Amino acid sequence: MKYYIFLVLFLFVFNPGNAQQLSSSKRHNVVFAEMGGAMVAGYGLGYERYINLKPKWTTSLRAGAGMIDHSSAFSSFAGGSLIFGKRSGLELGFNYLVNYDARTFRTTGEGEAFQNGLQTLIGYRYQNWENGLMFRFFYVPPVGCCGSAIPLYGGASLGYAF
């Protein structure tokens, strides 16, 4: 599964025909720092590419890596989103997580320490097209990974678009 996601990401980011479809007045690449979210209970850095910039909605693909389990283990992710709104709006997406700490979300403390999983996200995103500032806050419903008795889990990202 992870190889399929990376292949799709590669084709969209490096497709020469894709560059002609994107508007030249918009910023298409974002680098960001993230707490929670794809890093589950950690922090990381990521790269995102806007694939399709429409007046009212945008699609994106992203990948990143970071530290989890009290900065003692490495994790990575790949995913995508559908963003509704010109400057700010609703974001619906998913991430495929590699090596997240499943014990963090187990109430009994039992189970495997690290595993892979699919994660969904629902949130708010703000993108300033003039100066490149991007931030988002999101909720991660416990579907596919990170399930717990109390599904209060989310994340935040701060980035720069260029």
Side-chain angles (χ1 to χ4, degrees), residues 51-114:
I51 302 303
N52 194 356
L53 295 170
K54 300 285 185 184
K56 299 222 179 203
W57 60 274
T58 301
T59 55
S60 69
L61 290 175
R62 70 181 151 272
M67 300 305 293
I68 58 171
D69 194 29
H70 305 289
S71 300
S72 65
F74 179 78
S75 179
S76 60
F77 68 93
S81 286
L82 184 58
I83 305 151
F84 299 96
K86 289 183 181 182
R87 182 174 284 234
S88 65
L90 174 69
E91 178 176 4
L92 302 173
F94 71 93
N95 290 317
Y96 182 76
L97 308 178
V98 178
N99 195 32
Y100 76 93
D101 187 2
R103 284 185 305 202
T104 303
F105 297 95
R106 303 245 191 255
T107 56
T108 62
E110 298 176 6
E112 296 181 25
F114 295 99

Side-chain angles (χ1 to χ4, degrees), residues 13 23 31 45 50 57 59 71 79 82 93 104 111 124 128 132 148 155:
V13 172
S23 168
V31 291
L45 296 174
Y50 293 126
W57 60 274
T59 55
S71 300
L82 184 58
T104 303
Y124 169 80
N128 188 323
S148 72

Side-chain angles (χ1 to χ4, degrees), residues 17 35 83 85-86 133 158:
M35 302 239 359
I83 305 151
K86 289 183 181 182
L133 174 69
L158 177 64

Side-chain angles (χ1 to χ4, degrees), residues 9 12-14 18-19 22-23 26-32 46-53 58-62 125 127-129 131-134 159-162:
L9 179 64
F12 276 114
V13 172
F14 296 106
N18 198 24
L22 296 173
S23 168
K26 302 274 184 161
R27 299 164 186 259
H28 306 297
N29 304 291
V30 179
V31 291
F32 61 91
Y47 167 80
E48 185 170 39
R49 172 80 176 171
Y50 293 126
I51 302 303
N52 194 356
L53 295 170
T58 301
T59 55
S60 69
L61 290 175
R62 70 181 151 272
R125 178 188 287 241
Q127 173 67 63
N128 188 323
W129 297 106
N131 66 16
L133 174 69
M134 183 280 292
Y160 175 73
F162 56 95

Side-chain angles (χ1 to χ4, degrees), residues 125-145:
R125 178 188 287 241
Y126 173 82
Q127 173 67 63
N128 188 323
W129 297 106
E130 287 77 38
N131 66 16
L133 174 69
M134 183 280 292
F135 65 86
R136 64 187 181 148
F137 301 99
F138 47 92
Y139 168 65
V140 184
V143 177
C145 89

